[in-house]
Amino acid sequence: MTTTVRLPVVPMRLASVVSGAVYRRARVQPSDISSSADIDELLHRVAIGDRQAFGAFYDELSGAVYGTALRVIRDRAIAEEVAQDAFVEMWQKASDWNPARGKAKTWALMIAHRRAVDRVRREEAMRRRHEKTTLWSVPHRDNTADEVVDDDERRRVRRGLDALTDLQREAIELAYFQAMTYREVAERLDVPLGTIKTRMRDGLVRLREVMGGESL
Amino acid sequence: MSDLHDFAAPYALNALDDAERDAFELHLDSCSACRDEVALLLEAAASIGLESETPAPASMKGSVMERIGADPVPARSDLRQRFGRWILGGAAAAVVALAFAAASLWLNPSENPFQSVVAAPDAVVVELPATDAFEGVAPAARVAFSASSGDVAVEFIGLPDVAPDETYEAWIIEGGSASPAGLFRPDDGKAVVRLTRTARSGALVGVTIEPAAGSLQPTGEVLFLVEL
């Protein structure tokens, strides 16, 4: 019996092998986010190194990723830096994405928000160290006025959160927008840790009820 | 850390400190209830981000694309790319089928895990092409797959032995991540393996050589690869 069968190697274009799907039309408006399934499909292709798919993935999510970073960081230049880093991380970690654990869009925004939060905390820590050693206080954020997001923009994101009770909203906003840990939130509001975690959970569950069908 | 389960909401909001986040992510690997909860809560948290949508600076895309273009693909993602790169055409199918026809691996077909998968009404058998990672030898392999049960079995002939501190490891690659699907060593060049996890249509089945205990993520060169 001979087993010396030599198989010809025929490299094929990845996109045509992994998926026959065609890109959706270019998007028209910033808010025109495609269905989650399309973005999931794109991320599958990004995971095997498809740069063209990554470009489309970027187009779908750049507004949400940048907006999330901006909302937390409140400085356009730093927000752009963080959003860029977040996209590069998505490119590098696309193969870690597990669709069973969440949609691509959710995964992307988790990465963007985490990076924004980490950035704010790092700057806070530096600021505290600086204060300690110099005895004088540096401004919390030294942005010039026109780089700071105005209140109108900030108010715009309140729609979904308005469905929450004041206590739930307060706990979630301090964490999500102010980059506080739940311990810091509990300290700030002077309530037990368990209470804060419950408010966060109940608030998120409620948020999902009111927004779930809309954008996700 | 008795209340790790309570960390789902703070985790979804990125409101854990680094140590808690690491502990909870470890916990997630073993707690399906928390995984489900986190999936749900993360969606809610993401909706806050979606509502914050703001057009990104026009120059940002160029910067990002430049960075990923200049970026050598990192090790773990690289795996997928390598897997993808070596997907073969079906040209060799007939040749391999002949080789298998000549190889009577199992005297009693009922004991053969490959045949038991083939027995499924919707079973398909596809060739599992070797990449040109093999030098001087030309092993052949084929995969039996039942889409309804997700069962996968693989049969090899002409498979070279591995070193005592190494093993072959099969992988199922779905949704961008590779999962270990069984370790095996050939006996006289032959091996029949029922994969330890199920797969969906469109998944990739791959094989690498790994340290004897197996790996959680492929580290060796891709030796076989096919799409189900």
Side-chain angles (χ1 to χ4, degrees), chain A residues 167-179:
Chain A
L167 293 175
Q168 291 168 350
R169 186 170 54 243
E170 183 180 46
I172 286 180
E173 287 189 342
L174 285 173
Y176 197 89
F177 294 143
Q178 306 288 327

Side-chain angles (χ1 to χ4, degrees), chain B residues 40-227:
Chain B
L40 190 141
L41 298 179
L42 271 177
E43 259 192 45
S47 75
I48 305 175
L50 286 174
E51 284 222 330
S52 309
E53 186 171 19
T54 309
S59 62
M60 190 170 120
K61 183 173 184 182
S63 308
V64 169
M65 295 307 285
E66 194 180 345
R67 283 176 65 183
I68 70 146
D71 209 27
V73 182
R76 294 196 47 193
S77 304
D78 189 34
L79 138 81
R80 284 273 305 178
Q81 197 162 33
R82 278 183 297 152
F83 266 123
R85 190 176 296 141
W86 295 116
I87 291 178
L88 306 187
V95 184
V96 180
L98 279 176
F100 274 106
S104 117
L105 293 175
W106 297 80
L107 294 177
N108 183 353
S110 66
E111 289 170 8
N112 180 336
F114 190 86
Q115 292 305 330
S116 71
V117 173
V118 168
D122 66 334
V124 293
V125 177
V126 295
E127 310 315 320
L128 176 57
T131 68
D132 59 2
F134 290 102
E135 280 174 25
V137 292
R142 58 182 183 168
V143 177
F145 170 58
S146 160
S148 59
S149 66
D151 289 335
V152 186
V154 190
E155 191 174 39
F156 299 86
I157 54 178
L159 193 62
D161 285 331
V162 288
D165 58 347
E166 289 177 338
T167 179
Y168 286 100
E169 184 158 9
W171 304 93
I172 288 178
I173 303 126
E174 277 178 332
S177 53
S179 307
L183 309 177
F184 60 94
R185 289 157 164 280
D187 180 12
D188 193 22
K190 298 169 195 165
V192 177
V193 190
R194 175 131 183 185
L195 300 197
T196 57
R197 68 177 69 223
T198 57
R200 288 190 300 267
S201 264
L204 302 176
V205 171
V207 176
T208 60
I209 291 178
E210 300 294 334
S215 303
L216 291 176
Q217 285 290 314
T219 61
E221 200 169 353
V222 179
L223 307 175
F224 294 90
L225 185 74
V226 77
E227 185 183 18

